[in-house]
Amino acid sequence: MLYGVEGQLREGARSVDTGDFADAVDRHYPGLVRRLTLVVHDGEEAKDVAQEAYLRAFQSWDSFEGTDARAWLHTIGLRLAFNRLRRRRLWDRFVRGERDDPSWVMPERIDLWRALADLRPQQRAALLLNVVDGYTQAEIGRMLEHPEGTVASWISEAKRQAREALREDPDR
């Protein structure tokens, strides 16, 4: 890759304005890392996935339609995270066994982390995108490439499971 004049990156015959890309996406990095951390359960791995998402976004910047850079980045990042989770699931099952609570979770929030950790990755992502990030079910459906009704079902089931997991034991 060769840098040309005025912040343009030349890649073969294609020219990408790095300033436009940075203006559109840089402010979304912290939110993407937070979201991916809750999906992959590891802050450092979330940063790796976010960086890979930014690289992929940059590589396909010329095909971006310009509607919602945040949703576009979340879509790329979540797909990468789901792929990593599938690969990790096999590794965990055969090598690591039981999962440990992460050291980066505040002790008073460990029950919430465990409740979210017990959700299927798609349910967890849909719930967080809806409740925390404010995306509609239709937007989440486009991001995760599933029908809106499926997303609604994931969110509903995730809320039910989380409520059940967080409900205090009446015998305590």
Side-chain angles (χ1 to χ4, degrees), residues 10-148:
R10 296 208 43 87
E11 196 175 281
R14 181 169 69 100
S15 181
V16 178
D17 187 332
T18 57
D20 287 347
F21 177 78
D23 289 345
V25 301
D26 278 356
R27 67 182 176 273
H28 303 300
Y29 183 79
L32 179 63
V33 171
R34 282 191 303 274
R35 187 62 49 245
L36 293 173
T37 298
L38 292 172
V39 172
V40 300
H41 305 294
D42 182 303
E44 292 305 311
E45 187 172 8
K47 290 176 186 174
D48 289 345
V49 174
Q51 289 174 5
E52 188 176 347
Y54 267 69
L55 175 62
R56 297 234 180 141
F58 182 78
Q59 290 170 335
S60 58
W61 179 243
D62 59 338
S63 65
F64 176 58
E65 297 173 6
T67 54
D68 186 352
R70 181 172 163 245
W72 184 58
L73 285 169
H74 277 230
T75 300
I76 295 168
L78 288 168
R79 287 180 187 158
L80 291 169
F82 292 150
N83 288 339
R84 282 196 184 205
L85 287 172
R86 277 190 287 280
R87 287 190 304 269
R88 190 194 314 157
R89 198 173 307 129
L90 288 173
W91 179 257
D92 286 350
R93 191 177 313 146
F94 295 113
V95 177
R96 291 175 54 194
E98 288 287 319
R99 72 170 186 252
D100 294 325
D101 291 332
S103 60
W104 50 266
V105 175
M106 294 183 298
E108 62 272 12
R109 301 279 190 213
I110 201 71
D111 289 344
L112 177 59
W113 182 88
R114 288 177 183 156
L116 290 172
D118 288 339
L119 298 173
R120 289 186 12 240
Q122 291 86 353
Q123 288 177 322
R124 184 171 48 250
L127 177 67
L128 294 170
L129 288 168
N130 179 252
V131 173
V132 178
D133 295 322
Y135 285 108
T136 67
Q137 293 171 358
E139 291 169 327
I140 297 167
R142 285 191 297 276
M143 291 169 73
L144 301 180
E145 295 183 324
H146 280 61
E148 185 176 345

